[in-house]
Amino acid sequence: MTLCMPAADPAVMVRRASIAEALRGLVPPANVITEEETLRAYDSDGLTAYRQPPMIVVLPETTAQVSAILKYCAREGIKVVPRGSGTGLSGGALPLADGITLGLGKFKRILEIDYPNRCIRAQPGVTNLALTQAVQHAGFYYAPDPSSQIACSIGGNVAENSGGVHCLKYGVTSNNILGLEAVLIDGTVVTIGGKHLDAGGYDLLGVMTGSEGLLAVITEVTVRILPKPTAAKALLLGFPSNEAAGICVSAVIAGGIIPAGMEMMDRPAIHAVENFVHAGYPLDVEAILIVELDGPPSEVEELIARVAALAREAGACYCRISANEAERLAFWSGRKNAFPAAGRISPDYYCMDGTIPRGALAKVLARIREMETRFGLSVANVFHAGDGNLHPLILYDANKPGELARAEAFGAEILKLCVEVGGVLTGEHGVGVEKRDLMPAMFNDIDLAQQQRLKCAFDPEGLLNPGKVFPTLHRCAELGRMHVHGGKTAFAGLPRF
Amino acid sequence: MQTHFSPRQLADPALAEANSILRACVHCGFCTATCPTYVLLGDELDSPRGRISLVKEMLEQDKPATAAVATHLDRCLSCFACMSTCPSGVDYMHLIDTGRAHVERTYRRPWAERALRATVGAVLSHPGRLRIALALAWFARPFAGLLPARLRNMLKLAPKRPGVTATGPGTYPAAGPRRMRVALLTGCVQSVMEDSINAATVRLLTRHGVEVVVSKGASCCGALEHHLGRLDSARAAAVASIRAWCAEIDGKGLDAIVANTSGCGTLVKDYGHLFRGDPALVADATRVSELVKDISEILATLPLKFDAVQALRVVYHSACSLQHGQRITAQPVKLLTDAGFDVRQPAESHLCCGSAGSYNILQPEIAAALRDRKAANLAAVQPEVICAGNVGCLVQIRSGAKVPVVHTVELLDWATGGPAPEGLAAGR
Ligand SMILES: Cc1cc2nc3c(=O)[nH]c(=O)nc-3n(C[C@H](O)[C@H](O)[C@H](O)COP(=O)(O)OP(=O)(O)OC[C@H]3O[C@@H](n4cnc5c(N)ncnc54)[C@H](O)[C@@H]3O)c2cc1C
Ligand code: SF4
Ligand code: SF4
């Protein structure tokens, strides 16, 4: 592992057996996992470049058990890493050698479906897709749809503020949740928000969303559900160049059209996916765009025609309009399976997540092509074109010495490029450990110290998911008396992890 | 995914295969979502991705399996929902085979469990012994309360009356001009427990111009033993069937080998792989694999004459071995719809019913939880009859259902002029 994590505390690790024993008193004994082979199965999330078996895995079944575990850990000074479905792509759920991984896999119940208030109250381990499946027979759905929606948990979605192909029109997770129940590190159970849109006081819901497991363990989520649009159609467009596709994206947005989703894939991505999904993607183009329009049927028809015309003007050489629901879903299934399908063309891939101004797309893709030769690795690009969120998949082979290090260096350059063209480090996969050390490329020390103060307010001892998100080690007590001189903190020299 | 096998290990074909399977897994976790045991238990170790990791560790380190590893691998139903879901094409089926074989080789189970597994293997896959056991079970029923829980579970699954086989070895000629000649795999369990399914299959096929042979010697395909990780016993059972069918192919010729128990069909379709290390048999095994078809695949090619339309509301349960093992989903539904049935599909149709070979005997708690979940999903569409294409599912679902549970071919036989399946005749 080329990543530097906080040094494990030997004083905690020698107490492993007694800690496990104590945990067995708090949850059913079979829910405490300590054997070496079995811990390995928990050693990473969806970012396999970094692996570390946890000291212990504990799988609570109720909020009361979560509370008891956290209370115990706070008292004993034991670190806790929350884990949902382990599909994260930034190493947010990467375990610690001296930490407990607290898995929420057993929190799988939908607690309440409330149509009059248009919401679902669910446990955090319920998958994103299961929420939609629970209400679709009544004509409703949960809008944010990460490509991993089949497997990722709603708790993980809240922790990462996840987005999806339909977020262009319907917003990301933070725009679609109404309330949370969470457990603080001292064991206190708090309820934030409720079933209504706006809660009084500070926007704590906003603070918790995207907190990457650093502030509290989420034990219940109330999400907003929307009525399914009466009609939805998608266009599958092919272009002779990435530039042409980029021009089309800008033209659609500039034309005042808000598609339900607008996704782009470049040539290597198209080929990888078509092999698995057989979605009928054209194979002789450089880029495809999938544009979905939804709403009342007449509006959809008109917008489809306008987008098709704009695509033609931008130089599209292929245009297919979904003839029915099955075809529309087939267009999407290719896109939604794009990442793992990369596993068919390469044993490993490193999925990047940066956001750029839409206009910079062609330039960024051209620069990535240049880097490909420099690093000797190829890249397949998948792009939430509508909101500028780029996912280059760097293809590498972890079994070949040196390739992982090259992939990491390549990735860091791509992210710096995103910031350079006026974008940001992350679109939706979070910072985790992956982008932790790049945070200073985006924020200065004052910004970072300010963000850490918030963390300290929730978790003064730094026990919840330490080593993630923040590049520099600060003790909360030190932050309290931090002096800032001309943008430099007194602790600028403090060691990095 | 990165792997750590040494060149020496990679010289072993089984490990080389495991290595290439593992390399394809990108650890995305999609497969966890449709895995019945993960859905129920919520522990990564009971998910496909977790099991892949357990197998990887064990094989890479060449370590004996621990009790925990054996437990989590034993809980796998081999339903292969994970393979239908995996976007990266990970061949979990052959990886878990290698993993199970390693467990069998390196781990000594507690005595009671060893005895139970040996009994299951020895009895279920030998029609003669099964018939005796069932007769004993029939006598034992009144004393069920005195038996240990797991044996009681075996008893519950036994039919009320041990059946008499009506479809013994022999040739069943086509009615009218002959369109094709097929061998029927009658299945070791099925031929004893529910021979009515074989009888319906023979009637249905011969009625539509197909000559059916039941080859002597081809009585068990080896799937039950295979499920238990006993690849050698599985191969031994398979050899007899391969010989019998090859004699048939080389004799009067076969257009297909028909399986109406999809659990068996899935393994027989894989014989080529099962015998890949056996130069003496691999060619014949492959010949057999290539000829095997599920009954629904054969029926889809025949012009079926539906003359007795029954507008019953049928809920179709898609057996895992059909939908995930053989990727057959559309044909059975289409056949039933063409026959005039009002076919409904249940929620969570991808989830296993918990039958899974001998799983319901070896893992009764999980099997019962899955059965109850399946029964509730099936009942939710308010069917008049439940149907499926695999005998194991029928037996399992019946123990939790309030309406008749029959094989797809029994309904199709009925709709083309055959007798009504048991429990359906009254009132119609
Ligand atoms: C193939 C693939 C495609 C993907 N596509 C998308 C996409 O389109 N859009 C997108 O936004 N993301 C995507 N992701 C990333 C990932 O699925 C999301 O980040 C998801 O929200 C993670 O959920 P999880 O349940 O797997 O969380 P985990 O990976 O288990 O955890 C993620 C983080 O959340 C924390 N956490 C989890 N549960 C809780 C809880 N209950 N309380 C407190 N903290 C918690 C963890 O500590 C960790 O920091 C994709 C991932 C994969 C593998
Ligand atoms: S879905 Fe496939 S690639 Fe993804 S974790 Fe499961 S087996 Fe591996
Ligand atoms: S075969 Fe079935 S039970 Fe086994 S891991 Fe795959 S989905 Fe789970």
Side-chain angles (χ1 to χ4, degrees), chain B residues 256-313:
Chain B
I257 298 168
V258 176
N260 57 10
T261 47
S262 53
C264 306
T266 306
L267 180 67
V268 182
K269 283 186 175 181
D270 200 38
Y271 272 180
H273 184 269
L274 186 64
F275 286 92
R276 69 195 182 290
D278 185 340
L281 273 165
V282 64
D284 279 348
T286 309
R287 275 207 292 167
V288 166
S289 294
E290 285 166 356
L291 270 188
V292 176
K293 295 273 179 303
D294 183 69
I295 178 73
S296 59
E297 292 177 284
I298 295 289
L299 293 174
T301 66
L302 297 174
L304 298 187
K305 290 188 291 286
F306 298 112
D307 51 10
V309 174
Q310 311 288 348
L312 282 187
R313 183 182 300 165

Side-chain angles (χ1 to χ4, degrees), chain B residues 173-189:
Chain B
R178 192 176 96 180
R179 282 174 201 281
M180 54 166 80
R181 182 169 193 271
V182 304
L184 176 64
L185 163 58
T186 50
C188 50
V189 173

